[in-house]
Amino acid sequence: MKLNLKTDYALRLLILLATRPDQQFEIETLSRIHQLPASSVMKIISELVRHGYVHSIRGRSGGVQIGQEPSEIRVGDIVHAMNEPMEIVDCSSCLLVGNCRLKGVLCEAAQAFTEVLMAYRLSDLIEAPAPVLTPLLDRDNGADPTSQT
């Protein structure tokens, strides 16, 4: 299975926010760090705020930060919140619908995929920080872009 880009970016944004739980990030900063259009980051963050995974602080010194303890956020719930379709194949237009046993196998595979995602929490993804994360945060002329609010 392959996650859609919206879900992929949501997971990446949450991983970053969870590694710096006491820090607020502007959308523009997140956009720059992840090299994504600010409008895309805004849409994803809005969805994450709606589900309570991210907390938004309005105003001049505002920004966004992780909204729950990473140990309380299951990866599978994030995938579900991003409306990720979990079916492997759309069988609705297949000629074999009545006699096909493949659908059961594919449903079982999708269920196993979902169970694995539900077994992991955001805290599992940040326990050993990825060495690639620090260079991403430290670029921008040697300044830490996350220090902006």
Side-chain angles (χ1 to χ4, degrees):
M1 294 196 67
K2 182 177 180 180
L3 298 177
N4 66 37
L5 287 176
K6 178 180 165 186
T7 302
D8 180 22
Y9 295 148
L11 289 166
R12 293 175 194 218
L13 290 165
L14 284 170
I15 288 168
L16 173 61
L17 295 176
T19 61
R20 307 242 174 132
D22 297 326
Q23 195 167 343
Q24 294 177 21
F25 292 85
E26 291 181 339
I27 296 299
E28 292 76 21
T29 302
L30 294 172
S31 171
R32 189 173 53 249
I33 291 169
H34 288 284
Q35 299 178 353
L36 297 171
S39 60
S40 297
V41 173
M42 178 63 86
K43 288 176 188 175
I44 294 167
I45 291 293
S46 294
E47 191 82 13
L48 293 171
V49 166
R50 190 168 68 81
H51 289 283
Y53 298 124
V54 172
H55 180 66
S56 176
I57 299 100
R58 296 187 184 270
R60 183 173 211 150
S61 62
V64 296
Q65 63 189 131
I66 195 76
Q68 297 179 21
E69 288 295 321
S71 61
E72 296 174 6
I73 302 173
R74 295 185 301 184
V75 174
D77 288 336
I78 298 164
V79 172
H80 180 71
M82 294 293 105
N83 297 317
E84 183 73 48
M86 296 310 281
E87 44 184 48
I88 296 175
V89 174
D90 178 12
C91 295
S92 63
S93 63
C94 180
L95 298 174
L96 303 175
V97 163
N99 296 317
C100 182
R101 293 196 175 122
L102 180 59
K103 183 175 182 175
V105 172
L106 296 177
C107 286
E108 187 178 337
Q111 181 64 36
F113 182 70
T114 301
E115 287 174 10
V116 169
L117 293 176
M118 293 302 276
Y120 288 92
R121 298 184 180 272
L122 189 57
S123 57
D124 297 322
L125 305 179
I126 64 170
E127 281 178 354
V132 75
L133 188 58
T134 301
L136 284 174
L137 295 174
D138 293 337
R139 76 170 174 234
D140 270 356
N141 301 326
D144 183 352
T146 60
S147 64
Q148 300 171 359
T149 55

